[in-house]
Amino acid sequence: MDFKTLYDTDASLSRVPPEAVAAHPRRYSGLTLRALCRQMHDQLRSARLVELLDEAFQQLPEPVFPPQHCYERLVRGGTERIRIADAANRVAASMVTVTPPGIPVLMPGESTGAAEGPLLRYLTALEAFDRRFPGFRSETHGVTIDGESGDYRIECLRRS
């Protein structure tokens, strides 16, 4: 109810999540909670994030190697972190789970699929959201975020 009251009164972001404004003053200074919520909502709708997530779960990734093979390569240095933009048709070395919903979208040994496939389009949409709204990033296990560029990176098997 407090959030709704702050939204309805169009409270300044400096009152609501002051740590986000302090950490990213150029992005959030002067913005109100209602304006930020509208921007976030518009971003999620224009990216069709819910539809992309649904597609990613309907078209499951193709298994290429058993998870044990990926783990062996992972502990022996046979993997590399790849930008999502470069991850088409690679084999994941570790699990990728987006919360919510908290269900893995990619398991070790599965193909990332085509660049325009549902999985990479979904992860690219999340990456774009996180870049546009620093401090409000998605909870995405198995993804590291480059501190300078904001690129999502996932662990993939090195190509032999």
Side-chain angles (χ1 to χ4, degrees), residues 103-119:
I103 301 167
V105 293
L106 190 61
M107 295 294 291
E110 292 181 335
S111 172
T112 58
E116 287 303 313
L119 174 66

Side-chain angles (χ1 to χ4, degrees), residues 65-82:
F65 292 109
Q68 178 183 357
H69 174 80
C70 297
Y71 177 74
E72 289 170 359
R73 298 265 306 266
L74 182 68
V75 297
R76 289 183 172 85
T79 65
E80 59 186 335
R81 285 209 177 118
I82 304 291

Side-chain angles (χ1 to χ4, degrees), residues 58-128:
Q58 286 182 25
Q59 298 177 32
L60 298 177
E62 176 187 343
V64 178
F65 292 109
Q68 178 183 357
H69 174 80
C70 297
Y71 177 74
E72 289 170 359
R73 298 265 306 266
L74 182 68
V75 297
R76 289 183 172 85
T79 65
E80 59 186 335
R81 285 209 177 118
I82 304 291
R83 293 179 329 130
I84 289 295
D86 300 326
N89 301 307
R90 297 297 299 263
V91 177
S94 60
M95 183 183 333
V96 175
T97 305
V98 180
T99 305
I103 301 167
V105 293
L106 190 61
M107 295 294 291
E110 292 181 335
S111 172
T112 58
E116 287 303 313
L119 174 66
L120 293 180
R121 285 186 310 151
Y122 175 65
L123 292 174
T124 299
L126 284 177
E127 178 183 58

